[in-house]
Structures are given as structure tokens and as C-alpha cells.
Amino acid sequence: MGHAHCCTVLFIVFLALQQAAGFWHFDVFPSNFTTQNKVPNNSTPPVLIVPGTAGNQLEAKIDKPSRVHWMCYKKTDDFFTLWIDLNMFMPIGINCWIDNIRIVYNRTTRKSSNSAGVSVRVPGFGQTYTVEFLDNHKLSGYFNNMVTHLVNMGYVRNEAVRAAPYDFRVAPNEQEEYFSRLKKLIEDMYEQYQQPLYILGHSMGSNYVLYFLYQQTQAWKDQYIKGFISLGAPWGGAVKTLRVLASGDNLGIPMVSNIKIREQQRMTTTNPWMLPFEEAWPADHVFISTPSFNYTRQDYQRFFKDIDFEDGWFMWEDTRNLTAGLPPPGVEMYCFYGVGLPTPVTYIYDDQFPNADPIDYVYADGDDTVDSLSLGLCKRWRGKQAQPVHVKEFRSMPHMEIVLNRKVINVVQSILEGRYGEEDSTLMN
């Protein structure tokens, strides 16, 4: 019975992740990169990966005063996998999972905390396994193709190529310990290899890296950072975040309603942080259209009130200026992103808003998740810093596939080997 139940759960999860891959930052298909035995190469610069939202594993240990359903665990003796937890895809499991993974926001202290009786930790800091696959069954591959390719180049896992996973539920303003560990990890890698390193960020992870670089002196960046490679960075936020906060997005997961998953999607401070920035959009652009009101970036306070999520307004106020004005990072920059795919930039609702799905969409250019206005904001750094800024657009490249695509990975290899030339990029000095 136990084996049959496990196989059933895994099959459901496989189908769910297959449909959901367009939003969550992972792929559900086995890696098509195989590891070859290569002699370690100490000549290429070390690489540090910073994943996107939901792009690394989380673990939890619980000793809760109560539980939301009698089938939920109230106490565990040790830590267990919280993200990705296979039980979350089952009808009752979703309630247990939401109660475990949610954060509690305090408007007075403007701080967030875990649910009562829940301890959450990020496993594998400095290692790659937690970003290569997001579950223990290796169904949800993420950076595995990239890391395997680097290993085939001569890199060694957890030495020359490492990862800096983080609690993606929490915005950078509450991540002081993480950034302290990140800085030390970079310095340790520099000391080990006696050369500066490349930081490789995907999606919101690149926004984290940008915030981190703003906190460092130019002298520190000159010594320790060889370059910053960003893949699909939503520099100006993402319009899709408004839809997620308003009516939820079940990502195609069977047996999970949009409204149910919305509970979890509202319980992070990173989602409000990723609302569209003023740097990317005109003040009069309508992101959410309803029969009674059209919401622009000037209407965020009313938006949060109307969707009955006023904590979201305070979360946004806490985070709105973390990368205000988007000054240049002060390191050599490689900004890669997808274009040429229809990407929603306006969600149209009927009078059931916010408790029903959009009935129509307005599309613009992008990578199917983030619009090109936001993705391309790195172009503004031209002439604003001493270090070069390289921008490359990949036609018809989806937001997730940019991490998995062999062509993109080969371009990353050319950077690491010092072969990235002007013929492959738009070079901005």
C-alpha cells in the first residue's frame, strides 16, 4: 500500500510540475547533460549561482500549538523537505503545506516571521544540490544542466562552482544574515582560487545580487567580482505578480484551486517587492482592469485594499526602494534574457474580481513571464559605469528555459573561458 501510494503521488506530481514549469523555476524532464570525467580546471574563474524565486530547497521542523487539519503533522522530530514537498500536491496536503510555509507579517515591527511552531532553514548553502534539483526524487530539475555542463568543463561541484540558496519567501531587507554569508562565501572562494569569481543569477536571484552589490564598496567589487551574469532578470518587477496576488495562479497543478494557492502566494514579502517598478512602466499603464476600476502603478494601495490584502501594501512600502533608480552594479555585466514571446501586461477581470480568474489578457513582448521593458532595463547602464555591460536577447526563449538551454549554456561557457566577443553581444561602455 505504501509503495503504491508513493508511486501515485509521484505520478501526480510529475503531471503537475509538467504543467507548472512555466512559472516555477524548474524543469520536470530528466537532464540531457551527462557528467564526463574531466580533470579539474583551475584556470577558469570560479562561479557562484544565486537562484530565482522558489529556486532552491527549503526544510522545516515543526512543534505547533495547533494544526489546520487532523491529518497534518503537529510535531516532527527532525527537519523535513518543505519545498518541494510532494504532499503539497494532494488535496489535504496543500492545507498542511500552506500553514507550514507561510510567513506572518507584523505591521508594527514591519518584520516577518515563520508560522507559530515552525522553524524553516535553507539547506546546502555553498553546495549545488539544493539548486540542481528541488525535490529529493530529482523530478524537478533546475540548475542541473548548467552545473553538469560546468563539471564537464573541469569545474568541481561545491568547490569551483557553488550555490548561494536563500529563503525566497523573504525580501532582501530582512536578509542581513544571508548577505553576510554570501559575502564571506565569495571571499572564501577568492582565497581558495586566488582570482575573482563570476556570479550567475537567474530571475529574482539577479535582483538579490544587484541589491547585494549596492551594499559593497567599489574596491571590494573590483577585487572579488570578475563579472555578473544575469539570466531573465525582472529588473523592473513583473506584471504577473499582480495577477498572482489578486486571484492566485495554480500553475496548472491538478486539484489545487487558484484561490487556495493564493493563500501561500500572498504569504511572502518577495511578491509585493516584485510589483512593476516605476522605472519600467508609465504611470498610466493599466495592469489590472475591472468593471469598476483600472489599476495602474499609482493605485497599489487601493489594489491591496480591494483584494483584501492590506498587509501587501506595507510589504511593498518596505521593499519598494531596495533598488530604487536602478543604478549600475559597478561590475562587468552580462545581461541575457528572452524576447519575442507574448507576455501578459494587462489582466482583465469581470465583476467577480478578485475571486475569479481573468477573462482576458493584453499581451506585449517578453519571455512569457516577464515583459521586455523590465528585462531590458540593464541597457540603461551603458555609459554609467567604467565596466562593460553586455546585453544579449535570445529570440523566443521562455523565462525558465534560459537556464536549461544549451545555446545559453554555451554562451556562459564562452564568458568563463574568456572567449565572449563583440560579435556575440551588444557591448556598452
Side-chain angles (χ1 to χ4, degrees):
M1 174 68 73
H3 176 73
H5 173 72
C6 177
C7 292
T8 301
V9 171
L10 290 175
F11 179 70
I12 291 173
V13 170
F14 180 83
L15 293 178
L17 296 181
Q18 204 167 18
Q19 299 177 64
F23 180 84
W24 296 117
H25 299 302
F26 49 71
D27 178 34
V28 298
F29 301 102
S31 170
N32 55 7
F33 287 61
T34 56
T35 302
Q36 305 168 6
N37 293 322
K38 286 289 186 82
V39 176
N41 183 356
N42 293 324
S43 63
T44 50
V47 177
L48 179 61
I49 296 170
V50 180
T53 183
N56 56 257
Q57 297 177 24
L58 296 179
E59 295 179 342
K61 183 178 181 180
I62 58 175
D63 186 3
K64 303 164 75 170
S66 61
R67 49 190 170 185
V68 294
H69 191 280
W70 66 270
M71 289 188 67
C72 300
Y73 284 108
K74 187 177 180 182
K75 182 177 181 179
T76 59
D77 294 330
D78 205 349
F79 281 87
F80 61 92
T81 301
L82 180 63
W83 178 256
I84 294 176
D85 176 9
L86 301 184
N87 289 320
M88 68 170 283
F89 296 100
M90 305 304 290
I92 294 174
I94 189 70
N95 295 299
C96 309
W97 174 75
I98 288 174
D99 194 54
N100 289 336
I101 201 170
R102 69 187 178 94
I103 65 168
V104 178
Y105 180 76
N106 187 313
R107 293 189 196 178
T108 301
T109 64
R110 310 298 279 259
K111 300 292 184 182
S112 60
S113 61
N114 293 315
S115 179
V118 178
S119 297
V120 175
R121 71 181 185 187
V122 180
F125 186 83
Q127 302 179 56
T128 63
Y129 78 90
T130 187
V131 303
E132 290 194 62
F133 293 96
L134 306 185
D135 70 292
N136 294 330
H137 299 277
K138 297 188 175 181
L139 287 174
S140 47
Y142 180 28
F143 264 102
N144 178 251
N145 280 4
M146 181 76 73
V147 172
T148 300
H149 187 88
L150 295 179
V151 170
N152 290 338
M153 287 174 57
Y155 281 81
V156 178
R157 279 183 173 89
N158 309 327
E159 292 186 23
V161 55
R162 308 185 73 173
Y166 56 96
D167 188 341
F168 50 78
R169 304 172 304 159
V170 182
N173 58 309
E174 295 187 72
Q175 295 275 19
E176 183 178 351
E177 180 181 355
Y178 169 74
F179 289 118
S180 176
R181 296 180 72 194
L182 177 62
K183 185 173 183 178
K184 185 177 187 305
L185 179 58
I186 291 171
E187 293 172 350
D188 288 346
M189 293 177 72
Y190 173 88
E191 291 300 325
Q192 181 177 356
Y193 291 93
Q194 290 298 299
Q195 60 175 316
L197 57 93
Y198 281 101
I199 302 179
L200 174 61
H202 176 232
S203 193
M204 190 182 73
S206 294
N207 297 68
Y208 262 76
V209 174
L210 186 65
Y211 175 83
F212 168 76
L213 292 174
Y214 288 164
Q215 314 308 310
Q216 312 311 315
T217 66
Q218 190 59 53
W220 187 92
K221 289 184 282 191
D222 291 343
Q223 178 175 356
Y224 292 104
I225 306 300
K226 176 76 171 177
F228 173 19
I229 306 169
S230 72
L231 305 178
W235 303 117
V239 179
K240 187 171 185 177
T241 310
L242 288 154
R243 183 259 168 94
V244 168
L245 292 172
S247 55
D249 184 355
N250 74 351
L251 320 173
I253 300 173
M255 300 179 291
V256 178
S257 71
N258 287 334
I259 299 302
K260 173 56 68 174
I261 200 69
R262 181 179 69 180
E263 295 179 37
Q264 183 276 326
Q265 291 167 335
R266 289 184 176 183
M267 293 172 183
T268 74
T269 58
T270 44
N271 272 339
W273 177 42
M274 284 291 103
L275 290 187
F277 298 2
E278 65 181 47
E279 288 83 3
W281 289 96
D284 60 352
H285 178 84
V286 175
F287 299 118
I288 300 286
S289 178
T290 75
S292 60
F293 196 77
N294 290 328
Y295 299 88
T296 70
R297 63 174 174 81
Q298 301 180 92
D299 305 304
Y300 287 162
Q301 186 168 18
R302 175 167 177 170
F303 168 77
F304 283 117
K305 181 178 181 180
D306 289 351
I307 67 172
D308 195 26
F309 178 45
E310 293 190 70
D311 278 353
W313 166 252
F314 294 95
M315 295 176 184
W316 179 75
E317 280 198 318
D318 294 342
T319 57
R320 60 181 296 189
N321 292 319
L322 294 182
T323 56
L326 289 176
V331 299
E332 184 164 5
M333 185 76 212
Y334 299 84
C335 182
F336 302 157
Y337 55 91
V339 295
L341 294 175
T343 303
V345 294
T346 300
Y347 294 92
I348 302 172
Y349 289 83
D350 61 17
D351 57 8
Q352 298 301 305
F353 173 83
N355 297 315
D357 295 337
I359 60 172
D360 205 355
Y361 309 85
V362 176
Y363 294 91
D365 183 71
D367 67 1
D368 79 10
T369 299
V370 183
D371 60 273
S372 57
L373 287 176
S374 178
L375 293 164
L377 283 174
C378 53
K379 295 176 181 178
R380 68 191 294 167
W381 295 331
R382 118 180 93 185
K384 300 291 179 64
Q385 64 173 30
Q387 302 80 6
V389 177
H390 312 268
V391 177
K392 189 172 182 65
E393 298 178 343
F394 290 84
R395 181 64 51 179
S396 302
M397 182 71 69
H399 187 72
M400 178 55 226
E401 189 176 333
I402 198 168
V403 177
L404 312 166
N405 184 271
R406 189 179 293 272
K407 179 180 179 181
V408 177
I409 293 174
N410 286 337
V411 174
V412 171
Q413 176 178 349
S414 74
I415 296 170
L416 302 179
E417 293 179 339
R419 299 184 291 103
Y420 187 81
E422 294 187 20
E423 67 277 9
D424 296 322
S425 68
T426 301
L427 180 57
M428 303 176 181
N429 293 306

